Amino acid sequence: QVQLAESGGGSVQAGGSLTLSCTASTYIYRMAWFRQPPGAEREWVGSAATGGITQYTDFVKGRFTISKDDDKNTLSLHMSNLKSEDTAMYFCAAAHPGSPQYALSSTYTFWGQGTQVTVSS
């Protein structure tokens, strides 16, 4: 069992920046960020795997940066130029090697509790 703990959420004004961190209890191959806006479905933000490239959904490309540190078992999400539509609960997820469907929530076995990000305009 892998435990994930997110931190770094909060409130920020539009155009600002925020960095989220996720710490895993042990090494894990693939980690990802998902988010769930109010009243909406959970959606994939981006993911990274050991030795692989980092992928992003289109609506965050150029604004968000994901970094995976296998020495520290962490995944960070640096968000810049935040918009009100980025307001959501952000979740860290993780998976052992297996499915290549990195954007699907069903690929991920382990989930954090989430951290709230609120962007005010």
Side-chain angles (χ1 to χ4, degrees), residues 41 73 88 95:
E41 297 291 316
N73 299 329

Side-chain angles (χ1 to χ4, degrees), residues 29-30 47 55 96-104 107-108:
Y29 171 72
R30 184 184 300 283
S47 58
Q55 299 99 349
H96 294 301
S99 170
Q101 303 295 327
Y102 51 78
L104 297 181
T107 293
Y108 299 88

Side-chain angles (χ1 to χ4, degrees), residues 30 58 66-67 78 84:
R30 184 184 300 283
D58 286 345
I66 289 174
S67 298
H78 179 67
S84 57

Side-chain angles (χ1 to χ4, degrees), residues 8-85:
S11 297
V12 63
Q13 290 192 331
S17 300
L18 204 60
T19 298
L20 307 182
S21 295
C22 174
T23 301
S25 57
T26 187
Y27 166 77
I28 188 86
Y29 171 72
R30 184 184 300 283
M31 298 179 75
W33 289 101
F34 286 76
R35 70 184 187 185
Q36 186 164 15
E41 297 291 316
R42 188 173 297 186
E43 57 192 13
W44 174 72
V45 174
S47 58
T50 301
I53 62 173
T54 303
Q55 299 99 349
Y56 301 91
T57 191
D58 286 345
F59 53 77
V60 305
K61 282 182 180 177
R63 298 190 300 124
F64 290 11
T65 302
I66 289 174
S67 298
K68 188 176 187 286
D69 188 330
D70 288 339
D71 291 331
K72 299 179 180 178
N73 299 329
T74 59
L75 185 76
S76 65
L77 176 65
H78 179 67
M79 304 179 290
S80 61
N81 191 20
L82 283 161
K83 306 175 181 181
S84 57
E85 51 263 43

